[in-house]
Amino acid sequence: MPRSPWSPPPAFTTRPTLTGSFGMSASTHWLATGAAQSVLERGGNAFDAAVAGCLVLHLAEPHLNGPAGDLVGLVAPNGAASRVLSGQGPAPAAASVAHYRSLGLESVPGAGGLAAAVPGAFPALLLLLREHGTWEFADVAEYAISAAEHGVPVTPAWAGAVRSVEGLFREAWPTSAALWMPGGRVPRAGETFRNPEWAAALGRLAASADGATRTDRIDAVLRNWREGFVAHELTAFLARPHRHSDGGDYAGVLTADDVRGFDASWERPVSYRFRGVDVLKAAAWGSGPVLLQALAILATFPDDALDPSTGRGAHLVVEALKLAFADRDAYYGEDAHEVLPLLLSDEYARERAAVISDEASPQWRPGVLPGRPAFVPPLLTETGVDGGSVGEPTVRATGETRGDTCHIDVVDAHGNLASITPSGGWLQSSPAVPGLGLAAGTRLQMTWLDESAPAALRPGARPRTTLSPTLLAAGSTVVEALGTPGGDQQDQWQLPYVLRRIIGGYSPQAAIDAPTMHTTHLPSSFWPRAWEPLGVVVEDRLGDDVIRELRARGHEVSVVDGWSLGRLSSVSRDPSDGTLAAAANPRGGTGYAAGR
């Protein structure tokens, strides 16, 4: 990566950037990293390893993701074009604005079956394994089955999530209390948690892998998920009225036909070339182009203005993100492919950059696109609820959750790379399904009950997701894969990392360790959709001088612990000599990288 006129990167990091030549794995939990690296050591490729790691994440971070949730991935097979793996299921056929309005709802609840999209995570992992992996499903599932049977350690965040919804579980979700509160109490951090129900269900799925070829056998597992006991038990359970986050009891609308009709899919990524590096993302049915738009706006400024560790650089980063997010909420959705080329054009970026001044803007400012009216979401401040949010797991007593996700990156010696962000199906998102040991996701909470919205609730349409992994490419060769949990903060925390890597010359670990920030000047994607005009959350390590300058420019700055924002990880491969690298986040105490 090129060097810049910035101050030099720090000489010391919390851990080294790992380097080697055989294979590298990095994720938000050491057990997933270990499983992925074990697959590489046993002869699997990066995609086998990523699938095994994702299945373990379901067990190791159940408050952050689950098999009935959703997933977005970016994969770069050596010698082939990069692909987006869409494991974001659509809204069920009966999930309409009219139906939800008929229930007296003004928004989709943040917890409960009405918020459940068609489960996409598990089918997406099977698609990745079938088309790019080499192993049998039973072999990659072995790690997760073992973790479910023998147990995994409960993290403090996991215990805190259960504690936050203990009353809901006891009062209204007895199946969740039975599964997630063994012995009738909230698990303590450090205790071992076992999930025999999911171990048995995953074992049944693995045993159903029947057929003459590996493809046939993986397809048999998918059929058993979509048409067998999982689909039947999940949809039958959600069809019973149950408590939702608004306090009402409703029946879910997800049906077995919805589950049967869903196929995970491949798409082409969108990209923007920033300072000679191609940044690849999923399209505008998610939030990925926010990062690309912010980079396009910042590309109009000189390198020495863009250091996020300076007052001016932090200001420009925040203002560019505010403009990009305004465009997201005004224009992004399932059908945004028509407007995306305009949003990513250099001419449009220059127009957007021109509105940035030396002062923080208090306005929500989408750009103007010919013939396309900007949707204006309800911009409401929920005083005292969202103030100072750091974007990591935030669970309220009614079950609604923001920013709960996990991530894994893998690279192998052949140059295959995978960057996958699984989410949804959180233990607190909907009542646990008896006999399956899992919960449905709640991604529909990101849709609007307004037909004019580009991200409106529409039967068969994907909700606009915040899941946003990233690939970096030099020419036609992908050289790095990265991502982070964090809801609306995912692209925000990735932006300083990308700037520090491409312009600042930081190593991956130094770029992860560096102090970061995000803005809250956007309507939250998560129920109840509050926003905080002018809000900026910064780690205290950004420094008093920078914080004072941001405040002087008009930003309303909330200062949080210096190691609390983001859980980035990355892997990379130097095409000149094949050297592999990996880095993981010290924040949260669970992320790890491994390799040799």
Side-chain angles (χ1 to χ4, degrees), residues 427-580:
L427 64 86
Q428 65 274 13
S429 61
S430 62
V433 183
L436 295 184
L438 54 75
T442 54
R443 190 63 58 178
L444 295 187
Q445 68 179 285
M446 297 185 172
T447 63
W448 296 96
L449 296 185
D450 182 338
E451 296 285 5
S452 69
L457 177 66
R458 295 185 180 93
R462 289 173 292 190
R464 187 177 63 210
T465 181
T466 56
L467 307 182
S468 193
T470 301
L471 297 178
L472 304 181
S476 60
T477 303
V478 172
V479 297
E480 190 161 341
L482 63 126
T484 179
D488 287 319
Q489 288 76 40
Q490 289 179 41
D491 287 305
Q492 300 199 59
W493 292 332
Q494 290 179 60
L495 179 57
Y497 175 94
V498 170
L499 293 173
R500 287 169 169 140
R501 288 285 289 134
I502 294 177
I503 300 178
Y506 282 44
S507 70
Q509 191 62 52
I512 286 173
D513 285 356
T516 195
M517 63 201 159
H518 65 264
T519 178
T520 58
H521 186 98
L522 63 145
S524 172
S525 291
F526 295 85
W527 192 92
R529 312 304 289 267
W531 83 307
E532 297 169 3
L534 292 171
V536 178
V537 182
V538 305
E539 290 182 319
D540 59 21
R541 292 183 298 121
L542 200 59
D544 292 342
D545 290 345
V546 175
I547 292 169
R548 277 194 296 269
E549 181 171 341
L550 288 173
R551 285 173 171 157
R553 290 176 180 270
H555 300 282
E556 296 187 2
V557 180
S558 299
V559 181
V560 297
D561 178 77
W563 297 96
S564 58
L565 299 185
R567 295 171 70 206
L568 272 157
S569 65
S570 73
V571 298
S572 58
R573 181 178 186 272
D574 186 336
S576 67
D577 60 7
T579 298
L580 309 179

Side-chain angles (χ1 to χ4, degrees), residues 254-299:
L254 182 70
T255 68
D257 286 342
D258 293 318
V259 179
R260 184 184 303 114
F262 172 72
D263 285 311
S265 60
W266 296 109
E267 298 183 5
R268 295 179 61 184
V270 295
S271 66
Y272 178 77
R273 178 163 293 182
F274 179 79
R275 301 298 200 260
V277 177
D278 290 321
V279 184
L280 281 65
K281 303 290 285 187
W285 50 269
S287 294
V290 164
L291 177 62
L292 305 184
Q293 281 197 253
L295 287 170
I297 293 168
L298 295 176

Side-chain angles (χ1 to χ4, degrees), residues 30-212:
W30 69 86
L31 289 178
T33 298
Q37 193 63 25
S38 175
V39 171
L40 295 178
E41 297 289 347
R42 292 171 57 190
N45 67 15
F47 310 116
D48 300 315
V51 172
C54 285
L55 291 172
V56 169
L57 283 172
H58 295 157
L59 279 304
E61 298 191 301
H63 59 304
L64 306 178
N65 79 136
D70 32 52
L71 172 158
V72 177
L74 284 169
V75 301
N78 183 37
S82 299
R83 310 175 85 181
V84 175
L85 174 62
S86 172
Q88 178 55 67
S96 66
V97 171
H99 175 65
Y100 286 48
R101 291 287 189 185
S102 74
L103 298 174
L105 295 170
E106 296 183 358
S107 62
V108 179
L114 280 177
V118 179
F122 192 82
L125 294 176
L126 292 177
L127 177 61
L128 176 59
L129 182 67
R130 183 182 68 195
E131 296 206 9
H132 291 296
T134 63
W135 276 26
E136 296 286 346
F137 175 76
D139 294 327
V140 297
E142 170 190 341
Y143 298 89
I145 293 173
S146 176
E149 290 177 339
H150 298 289
V152 297
V154 175
T155 64
W158 172 351
V162 178
R163 188 176 305 111
S164 296
V165 289
E166 177 183 3
L168 172 68
F169 283 7
R170 293 188 187 280
E171 177 186 350
W173 292 3
T175 58
S176 293
L179 176 61
W180 303 113
M181 296 167 55
R185 61 170 177 81
V186 174
R188 301 185 184 96
E191 287 186 328
T192 298
F193 178 88
R194 296 172 177 85
N195 191 338
E197 290 184 339
W198 179 237
L202 196 52
R204 287 178 66 184
L205 289 165
S208 68
D210 184 37

